[in-house]
Amino acid sequence: MNQAGAVLADYSARLEALAIELGLDFHPVTFDLVPANFMVEIAVYGLPVRMRHWSFGVRYIHQLARQHMGHSKIFEVMFPGAPCHAFMLEQNSLAENTLITAHVLGHADFAKNNQLFSRFMAMAGGHILDQSAARARRLERALSAHGQDRVEAVLDAALALETHIDVNQALHRPRYPEFLTPHTGPALNHFHDRYARLPGEHLAPPRNDPPQRTPLPPQPEYDLLWFIAHYAPDLEDWERDIFLAVREEAYYFHPIHACQIMNEGWASYWHARLLREATFLPHDLYVSAIKSHSDVVRPFASGQQLALSLNPYHLGFSLWEHIIDKHGLAQARRICREEDDFGFVRNYLDQDVADKLDLFVYETRQDGDITIASRDIHQIREAILAPKFNYGAPCIAVSQVGADGALALHHDYLRDGRGLDLPQAEKVMEYVARVWRRPVTLHTVDFRSVVRVLPARKF
């Protein structure tokens, strides 16, 4: 370890001790310094070791282009778990990596205590990185045994449906019961017994109906990855394994998606506070780190006076400061445990804060002009939260499997309030049909709310 690394390790240990003294509660965190290309790779894959697929390469090129244009720089990537793993850029300055260390401790506290993160950890265990690496090894064996084209066709379908899970269901859930529960009528009680003894009355004989098979599905099924893994007529075991692997990773990513504003804001609040109270840091390093903090939580890019996209660090940091000033740290910790971004924004972003942050809803006209459409707090909240509804995916459920195995999907457009991009939907349906291997139909609406039925296709 060089001198800078030794200094950073010393600051990290002292920041951890300070964080515990201030009440943070987190699983152990391991920190690694990595080169820029590795940082981009794990950022686009979402995990240090993951199943390989061409779509990650597309994201990699997109991220490189953004970085070269100065639109994006990844300072750190942190993976929650027990322990947590954090990766920092080798090229970061000592001040930047000191700030990142404090930031990661805030993330680690959030991940250990928030109920959505805790629920996933309880279902899957805390060793997601090891599990992901094991899945990647199984995929490599499938590639060797079955060839790239067959494996890629399954991955195309599974990743196209990546966010179509039912987060209210357990990660490990059984198949539907094969038969419906027999109807036995209401339970007899003392009244029924006395009534049956009246002259001319008698109890109905017990029914002996033959068992009835459970319809498939017994109710609209929104967990598409689970359903296809368990009920696709001709899937082989290795193909079902890929679907279940992608589903498990979707459960892992869901708390990160559902709590992004809260989580980034919480980490930003704590990195600012830890740096402020870390009296052992040299003054020059503190000033440099705080300058980086200002860059992270500013509402718009340098040199601009307006932004048409939301910086979750800025909104989350501002809301946590507002909550702690108004309600105290104990109340903030309760919110941290119990809420996701929906409760956080709807309950704590009020009109005063929105006005202070200069938030507004805008619309783009056909001629390209952009105008402010509203500053109403209700519309601002819904505009912020709309992309997060239903994991960002349209609400699509399996409604029926026909006698010939045909799969019928229905888009609940009244629930999510939007039509589909039909060319994109047709491509996804093509992926699904390749693995379902029977006709597949999707009932939906287009962007004009005109009802459309994508034609059944058989492969």
Side-chain angles (χ1 to χ4, degrees):
M1 182 182 296
N2 58 28
Q3 185 178 1
V7 173
L8 178 61
D10 177 56
Y11 290 162
S12 297
R14 295 166 82 172
L15 283 169
E16 283 195 33
L18 177 61
I20 293 170
E21 184 181 327
L22 293 175
L24 294 190
D25 174 27
F26 46 84
H27 292 299
V29 184
T30 62
F31 291 93
D32 285 305
L33 292 170
V34 296
N37 60 337
F38 184 77
M39 182 68 85
V40 174
E41 190 174 315
I42 60 176
V44 299
Y45 268 82
L47 289 162
V49 180
R50 195 179 181 191
M51 298 174 288
R52 57 189 169 105
H53 184 253
W54 58 264
S55 62
F56 298 122
V58 174
R59 294 183 204 176
Y60 186 89
I61 294 170
H62 180 70
Q63 177 60 33
L64 283 184
R66 283 176 55 81
Q67 287 190 183
H68 289 157
M69 295 171 69
H71 295 320
S72 173
K73 180 181 178 183
I74 303 170
F75 287 92
E76 53 87 17
V77 176
M78 183 266 196
F79 300 99
C84 302
H85 293 263
F87 296 89
M88 301 184 288
L89 270 180
E90 290 174 340
Q91 293 85 350
N92 288 341
S93 67
L94 178 60
E96 288 170 335
N97 278 336
T98 303
L99 177 142
I100 289 167
T101 300
H103 187 85
V104 166
L105 295 176
H107 277 316
D109 173 81
F110 190 93
K112 183 178 179 183
N113 295 287
N114 177 265
Q115 50 95 15
L116 279 182
F117 281 87
S118 299
R119 178 171 178 262
F120 174 80
M121 292 271 284
M123 291 193 297
H127 300 284
I128 181 67
L129 303 193
D130 297 335
Q131 294 159 357
S132 175
R135 285 191 290 269
R137 287 194 292 273
R138 292 204 300 274
L139 185 83
E140 291 302 316
R141 289 197 291 272
L143 281 166
S144 300
H146 307 288
Q148 182 166 348
D149 290 345
R150 290 187 65 191
V151 172
E152 198 162 276
V154 180
L155 263 178
D156 285 345
L159 290 173
L161 300 175
E162 186 176 15
T163 52
H164 289 272
I165 61 173
D166 184 348
V167 296
N168 297 311
Q169 296 283 353
L171 174 61
H172 304 292
R173 56 180 289 206
R175 290 166 59 95
Y176 306 125
E178 191 172 353
F179 295 99
L180 294 173
T181 303
H183 179 72
T184 57
L188 297 183
N189 54 29
H190 181 64
F191 173 79
H192 291 103
D193 184 57
R194 291 189 63 189
Y195 184 82
R197 294 171 188 274
L198 294 174
E201 298 296 339
H202 62 275
L203 288 173
R207 298 175 59 173
N208 193 22
D209 298 334
Q212 293 187 344
R213 288 195 174 277
T214 303
L216 191 62
Q219 60 278 328
E221 178 59 66
Y222 289 88
D223 196 341
L224 302 188
L225 288 175
W226 176 85
F227 187 86
I228 292 173
H230 287 284
Y231 292 101
D234 299 322
L235 274 191
E236 297 180 30
D237 287 345
W238 65 270
E239 296 173 305
R240 300 182 197 279
D241 184 54
I242 289 176
F243 263 77
L244 293 176
V246 171
R247 178 174 177 267
E248 183 167 352
E249 291 180 351
Y251 269 76
Y252 170 75
F253 291 122
H254 176 256
I256 298 170
H257 171 84
C259 300
Q260 185 196 21
I261 297 171
M262 289 180 73
N263 193 1
E264 295 299 354
W266 187 253
S268 299
Y269 171 83
W270 280 105
H271 78 224
R273 180 164 175 182
L274 287 169
L275 291 177
R276 191 166 62 242
E277 301 195 20
T279 54
F280 51 86
L281 295 177
H283 179 71
D284 290 349
L285 184 143
Y286 172 75
V287 171
S288 296
I290 286 299
K291 181 180 181 306
S292 297
H293 160 77
S294 300
D295 292 339
V296 168
V297 300
R298 67 186 175 195
F300 34 73
S302 176
Q304 298 182 8
Q305 297 301 314
L306 191 65
L308 297 178
S309 60
L310 192 74
N311 179 357
Y313 295 81
H314 173 244
L315 178 59
F317 175 74
S318 302
L319 276 178
W320 281 121
E321 281 209 316
H322 172 71
I323 290 168
I324 293 169
D325 286 346
K326 189 173 181 180
H327 304 288
L329 186 56
Q331 176 75 346
R333 293 203 66 85
R334 184 194 65 75
I335 295 167
C336 176
R337 286 192 302 273
E338 298 176 358
E339 300 283 14
D340 59 9
D341 280 350
F342 283 91
F344 187 58
V345 169
R346 285 184 174 147
N347 293 329
Y348 302 101
L349 176 60
D350 57 30
Q351 189 70 62
D352 290 341
V353 176
D355 290 343
K356 181 180 176 184
L357 301 181
D358 196 21
L359 299 180
F360 56 85
V361 179
Y362 73 92
E363 60 185 14
T364 305
R365 299 193 316 201
Q366 288 187 340
D367 60 6
D369 283 354
I370 296 172
T371 59
I372 295 177
S374 175
R375 289 186 182 273
D376 174 76
I377 185 59
H378 301 290
Q379 294 191 38
I380 290 172
R381 289 174 186 151
E382 296 316 305
I384 292 170
L385 296 173
K388 305 180 77 68
F389 178 70
N390 195 47
Y391 210 166
C395 298
I396 293 175
V398 179
S399 59
Q400 187 180 27
V401 176
D404 60 349
L407 178 70
L409 303 172
H410 271 78
H411 174 204
D412 190 351
Y413 47 85
L414 296 177
R415 182 176 164 200
D416 62 28
R418 61 176 174 176
L420 294 186
D421 178 332
L422 291 184
Q424 187 175 357
E426 287 171 349
K427 189 66 180 174
V428 173
M429 292 291 289
E430 183 181 321
Y431 289 152
V432 174
R434 284 178 183 166
V435 295
W436 189 261
R437 293 158 194 159
R438 298 287 193 285
V440 179
T441 308
L442 172 63
H443 299 253
T444 183
V445 296
D446 61 20
F447 69 98
R448 297 187 182 89
S449 299
V450 177
V451 174
R452 302 290 297 269
V453 179
L454 298 191
R457 304 185 66 177
K458 185 173 181 179
F459 286 77

